[in-house]
Amino acid sequence: MSIYDTLNIQQQQAVFQTEGPVLILAGAGSGKTRVLTHRIAYLIEEKGVNPWNIMAITFTNKAAGEMRERVDKIVGMHADSVWVSTFHSCCVRILRRYIDRIGYENNFTIYDTEDQKTVIKEICKRLNVDTKIYKEKAIMAQISHAKDELITPDEFELNAAGDYSKKKVASVYQAYQEQLKKNNALDFDDLLTKTVELFQSCPEVLDSYQERFRYLMVDEYQDTNTAQFKFISLLAAKYHNLCVVGDDDQSIYKFRGANIGNILGFEKVFPEAVVIRLEQNYRSTQNILNAANEVIRNNTERKEKTLWTENEEGDPIRFRQFMNGYEEAEFVAGEVIKNHQEGRCRFRDCAVLYRTNAQSRLFEEKFLLANVPYKIVGGVNFYSRKEIKDLLAYMKTVDNARDDLAVRRIINVPKRGIGAATLGKVQTFADHYGMSFYEAMKQAEEIPGLGRSTGKITGFMNFIRALKSKAEVLSVRELLEEIIESTGYVAELEAEDTDEARARIENIDELISKTESYEEAAKAQNLNPTLSGFLEEIALIADIDSVDSSQDYVLLMTLHSAKGLEFPYVYLAGMEDGIFPSYMTITADDPSELEEERRLCYVGITRAMKGLTMTCAMQRMIRGEIQYNKVSRFVKEIPRDIVDLGHTVQKKEIPVPKANNAYMQMRQAFRAKAFEPKAFQVKKAEKLSYQPGDTVRHVKFGVGIVKEITEGGRDYEVTVDFDRVGVKKMFASFAKLKKI
């Protein structure tokens, strides 16, 4: 029996249609990855296509890794010649080879969001842009959107004519791009825009890749933006063998620039396109699919399709309404414990999905009290922690000394006595002569007014030169260990001898482990592990890549983070109008906003395999105030005959096994507090005893660093990065943080 006989009829059509443009509308759980991998095998085995003439692109490292694994398994020999990559990784590979054609050096640095914000902040200060009026994040969002649409700084300024606010952003955008080029750095959006620029300005480079990739496949096509569409269309322009796979009903990333028009209008761009629908679902029960079908049917911007399955009908969708968010979280924790102890599921079989990250707090509290292992997806990125950023900045400086951001970060790590005034003089000298900060420091003796600081700068430069020479013979791991040893970074933390210092040392140990795993993975793929390659891999890591499917914990995540995943049991929390769909969406003039929220609900429903529970609260505390919301309209769109309503409002105790006596006592305490209004009275302090950057202790979350303090009318909102549980936002009066 052929491997293609295991596919259903529609899947076979998608595999066998190899020539010309093809649009595969793949419903949730319809086996699209299976189709793509079998299509690659068919091209090689039956059509005689060379493996190196095939490229498959997806969005996440996780999805690319799974596809790579399946391709290797099904194709066998020469499978490694097939390019299986994310958009960003693919563009990095191309730019590493040819970006010098458009004025950059090939060892460019990739900036993450925090790096971008630092540069934007410096530029705003330099241009006298008031960041209280023009927030850095808002400016970054506008610049990112412009890049998604392939709008250059000059075009942005032209479009801003007559709009004072946009002209301000235009000036920052222009200066930002100039600074990036000066630093020989690219942000994430640049990876695509610069590749498109390279293709458009160097026809011979484009032609070489068109010849290389004669068969192009794109997964999750509904999530592509204008820049990604342009990149794909340029590559496919010569041979037209473009196969895109996606589901317009799962287009949920408009806020990131995704253009649903790319998939809805595919046949207009490619009139000769063959359209194939995959509607058989292999993941969920029929009741779950019925709920999803009925909800999404209320959208108008979609291509008609109906999911069905040969799986069992399954249990009804459970809906539970509670008095408040505390009882909602308590119920979910109790359900997970009960199902786990009765042997119906493992912890990793369960996921709690919510609309916003802020909703995770109550679930985290209840899971901590109940001793339920959990992991929050979308918390603080490991690579954003101070000690990791410091050591990576050293590695970036060794790799690309033009990266001013990295150089300035480490010049006083450890402390070298090089003050702000000295750094200002170096920067002025660099700006005057149009050179990088690092290049200016090479000429420290020629910079007027440095005095004794000249020797300190010269010492730093000699240290970096020594590291650069060692990097030529040391492995990535050995270089990192050399940096740690030479700077005395860990020795200084050991001398502190605090819980916080020990946690930071553990993080550094984990970074060393990462270098080792990178080198092993590179060698397994017959690649030469390099410093640039390591830094590139880290830059492209996403939150979801940190999820280890072998670990037994409940996942807590936003609905956006859950896309592409599946779980036997899903809890959709906060199903209230004003929460999901959000208040902004409900009141928006544009009906497409509500349709995107409905697609997000559809994604949430279709993550469930066996059991789906939806929960909501009659009252919920939002920003320190009680809000009363109606049941979500999305819940009301599900037919009543497949919904188990339980009690209208849950008031009874949730049965928890007697073994959890401590949990029961703690839970009773929380229940009592939830109904005592006096416990929530806020008395705003005149002044806080801590500031951003200070180390503080929380009675439950432990030690952390204050990242931000926002003064509100009733209280201060404090953002703290805790070593153990990540970033938390809390009101100062309730948090009772103590500076240490």
Side-chain angles (χ1 to χ4, degrees), residues 717-735:
E717 185 181 72
V718 186
T719 303
V720 183
D721 181 1
F722 290 102
D723 291 333
R724 184 162 51 87
V725 296
V727 171
K728 297 289 176 188
K729 283 190 177 183
M730 56 196 77
F731 289 116
S733 300
F734 292 118

Side-chain angles (χ1 to χ4, degrees), residues 383-483:
Y383 298 101
S384 295
R385 298 189 180 279
K386 180 185 182 301
E387 58 278 11
I388 304 303
K389 292 281 282 185
D390 286 346
L391 293 173
L392 288 177
Y394 265 106
M395 299 175 87
K396 287 178 181 178
T397 301
V398 171
D399 187 53
N400 170 29
R402 280 179 57 186
D403 184 357
D404 285 0
L405 206 60
V407 175
R408 292 182 68 115
R409 182 180 184 96
I410 59 170
I411 197 165
N412 272 313
V413 178
K415 292 177 181 176
R416 296 183 173 91
I418 303 173
T422 298
L423 297 178
K425 290 171 184 175
V426 175
Q427 188 64 61
T428 301
F429 185 85
D431 293 342
H432 181 75
Y433 289 100
M435 61 178 65
S436 71
F437 191 82
Y438 184 84
E439 288 295 323
M441 287 198 296
K442 282 183 178 178
Q443 303 177 38
E445 294 177 356
E446 298 177 27
I447 301 175
L450 287 189
R452 286 181 296 177
S453 296
T454 303
K456 297 173 183 176
I457 290 176
T458 303
F460 171 74
M461 295 300 291
N462 289 336
F463 177 58
I464 296 299
R465 287 191 190 99
L467 288 176
K468 280 179 172 289
S469 63
K470 289 177 181 178
E472 295 175 6
V473 293
L474 296 179
S475 68
V476 179
R477 173 176 177 165
E478 289 169 341
L479 176 64
L480 175 59
E481 290 174 335
E482 174 66 24
I483 290 169

Side-chain angles (χ1 to χ4, degrees), residues 235-390:
L235 279 177
K238 191 168 188 176
Y239 291 101
H240 299 278
N241 296 324
L242 172 63
C243 173
V244 300
V245 185
D247 182 5
D248 50 299
D249 289 334
Q250 296 186 70
S251 179
I252 59 173
Y253 294 120
K254 184 179 179 181
F255 70 98
R256 290 184 190 168
N259 183 358
I260 193 174
N262 287 347
I263 191 167
L264 293 178
F266 188 79
E267 296 124 293
K268 292 181 181 178
V269 179
F270 303 98
E272 72 277 30
V274 175
V275 180
I276 300 165
R277 285 175 168 78
L278 305 182
E279 296 175 291
Q280 182 176 356
N281 177 284
Y282 293 90
R283 174 190 299 158
S284 308
T285 64
Q286 189 60 55
N287 273 335
I288 290 171
L289 298 182
N290 289 341
N293 287 330
E294 291 303 316
V295 168
I296 202 62
R297 194 163 283 139
N298 292 280
N299 273 6
T300 57
E301 289 184 347
R302 66 185 294 261
K303 291 180 178 289
E304 187 61 39
K305 69 185 85 64
T306 302
L307 296 179
W308 62 276
T309 186
E310 292 180 350
N311 295 341
E312 61 183 1
E313 184 179 65
D315 295 330
I317 310 304
R318 294 200 308 163
F319 174 69
R320 299 291 185 266
Q321 186 180 35
F322 300 91
M323 288 297 296
N324 53 47
Y326 287 92
E327 292 194 350
E328 177 188 45
E330 187 177 78
F331 167 80
V332 173
E335 285 287 298
V336 170
I337 290 173
K338 183 174 68 174
N339 290 333
H340 181 264
Q341 293 196 343
E342 291 178 3
R344 280 199 291 273
C345 68
R346 298 161 298 184
F347 288 124
R348 67 171 177 261
D349 294 334
C350 305
V352 182
L353 310 181
Y354 33 76
R355 180 62 184 83
T356 64
N357 275 311
Q359 291 170 256
S360 68
R361 183 179 65 84
L362 291 178
F363 291 102
E364 189 175 2
E365 287 183 2
K366 297 302 181 184
F367 280 19
L368 277 170
L369 291 172
N371 249 353
V372 174
Y374 68 91
K375 179 179 178 65
I376 295 180
V377 177
V380 177
N381 189 311
F382 171 79
Y383 298 101
S384 295
R385 298 189 180 279
K386 180 185 182 301
E387 58 278 11
I388 304 303
K389 292 281 282 185
D390 286 346

